[in-house]
Amino acid sequence: MTTNSFDASHLEVISENIKRIKNEISEAAIKSNRSPDDVRLMAVTKTVCPEYINYAIDNCGVDLIGENKVQEFLSKKDLLHLKGVEKHLIGHLQTNKVKKIVGQVDMIQSVDSLRVAQSISNEAVKGDFEANILLEINIGDEESKTGFDKALFEESLTEISSLPNLKVKGLMTIPPICENTLELEKYFEKMSNYYEEIKNGSYGNFDFEILSMGMSGDYKEAILHGSNLVRVGSAIFGARNYK
Ligand SMILES: *Cc1c(COP(=O)(O)O)cnc(C)c1O
């Protein structure tokens, strides 16, 4: 079963997957002394055909979707039933694509440089609106990964927090691939502590509400360590086929 060509028999699988994942999210939220409503489920829709996405929206209560690529989102969006649905960009964004996407989504989660933040701010000023963003942190300091490394992030904090027409709603991360759960949980814990630290600081345009971490393989652990938004793709829609 793949995500990009429609097969009606797959709809029931999608519905069962979402039910199961929502239950698991609730359990993990309760275990970490929060209410099930405190943790949001994002359906990650990259490579997924519009029929499946619309089914998840219309029949399974999905009200938040995430796409990675500007072009893919723009070419799909008119086919989607997006009334009442929040759209976030979660993939790496190049400065030259900012203009195309910034007014089209409700949040950009993958802001990973001062330049991109400045560019989003500029567009928001021009359009006279406020842009919601998350700052993506490379919590494992991996060379191959997108996201701010911590040192650069701290250097940029003051400047980002004074950019006009920008609301920084929190942090996002993709942890390194880990050999075991214990190691993975250390990264989630580190990220969660970092989130609290910055949330409790005083930065002009920061209004922290969202810690976005956890994907198909690790959303339960992420929630147990403080995540309040999990980004789940393949566990909902099946394996991706990038062709
Ligand atoms: C693809 C993607 C996800 C979802 O990945 P799954 O493992 O399929 O759940 C989450 N976050 C980001 C940034 C992604 O690119």
Side-chain angles (χ1 to χ4, degrees):
M1 225 53 106
T2 58
T3 50
N4 27 7
S5 58
F6 183 70
D7 171 353
S9 69
H10 193 46
L11 295 175
E12 204 171 322
V13 179
I14 291 174
S15 163
E16 289 303 316
N17 287 343
I18 292 176
K19 265 189 225 150
R20 188 190 67 248
I21 292 165
K22 282 188 169 174
N23 280 333
E24 288 174 352
I25 289 174
S26 298
E27 280 172 24
I30 290 166
K31 251 196 209 168
S32 58
N33 297 314
R34 288 177 292 166
S35 136
D37 301 336
D38 290 347
V39 182
R40 292 188 77 188
L41 170 63
M42 163 187 283
V44 175
T45 52
K46 60 174 178 253
T47 77
V48 179
C49 65
E51 291 92 336
Y52 291 157
I53 303 172
N54 286 336
Y55 178 81
I57 292 170
D58 297 339
N59 300 284
C60 313
V62 164
D63 61 2
L64 171 61
I65 64 165
E67 278 281 345
N68 284 63
K69 296 205 169 115
V70 171
Q71 202 46 55
E72 182 177 347
F73 174 68
L74 295 178
S75 65
K76 274 195 321 208
K77 79 174 173 50
D78 290 340
L79 304 170
L80 301 179
H81 304 168
L82 291 176
K83 196 156 176 262
V85 175
E86 249 185 77
K87 297 95 56 189
H88 293 189
L89 186 79
I90 59 171
H92 177 65
L93 179 60
Q94 289 164 309
T95 320
N96 63 4
K97 298 241 174 85
V98 165
K99 194 184 287 209
K100 283 192 181 149
I101 194 71
V102 71
Q104 304 288 327
V105 288
D106 302 290
M107 185 169 309
I108 298 175
Q109 293 204 359
S110 39
V111 176
D112 59 2
S113 70
L114 176 59
R115 272 188 68 208
V116 170
Q118 282 166 332
S119 175
I120 294 171
S121 165
N122 286 343
E123 291 303 320
V125 169
K126 272 193 235 160
D128 195 24
F129 60 88
E130 197 160 71
N132 292 312
I133 65 166
L134 302 184
L135 300 169
E136 182 182 349
I137 309 293
N138 179 2
I139 196 68
D141 288 324
E142 296 171 286
E143 281 201 13
S144 59
K145 273 264 173 71
T146 54
F148 278 98
D149 67 51
K150 261 176 93 183
L152 252 177
F153 180 65
E154 280 159 21
E155 275 172 33
S156 313
L157 264 179
T158 314
E159 221 167 320
I160 292 176
S161 66
S162 62
L163 291 172
N165 294 49
L166 210 58
K167 266 275 173 272
V168 184
K169 303 296 285 183
L171 303 179
M172 184 269 245
T173 199
I174 307 171
I177 292 168
C178 293
E179 302 232 321
N180 57 59
T181 316
L182 214 64
E183 195 190 333
L184 177 68
E185 286 183 296
K186 269 191 213 152
Y187 285 113
F188 285 145
E189 192 61 29
K190 191 171 161 192
M191 189 65 200
S192 176
N193 291 336
Y194 200 45
Y195 172 81
E196 290 299 330
E197 186 186 318
I198 293 171
K199 182 184 167 135
N200 293 328
S202 119
Y203 300 100
N205 59 17
F206 285 20
D207 178 17
F208 270 30
E209 287 174 2
I210 300 173
L211 175 56
S212 170
M213 62 183 191
M215 319 202 304
S216 289
D218 56 17
Y219 57 86
K220 279 176 277 184
E221 289 82 4
I223 295 167
L224 293 176
H225 292 278
S227 167
N228 60 19
L229 192 160
V230 292
R231 310 179 308 267
V232 181
S234 46
I236 294 177
F237 296 109
R240 280 184 292 274
N241 179 351
Y242 285 97
K243 274 194 207 140

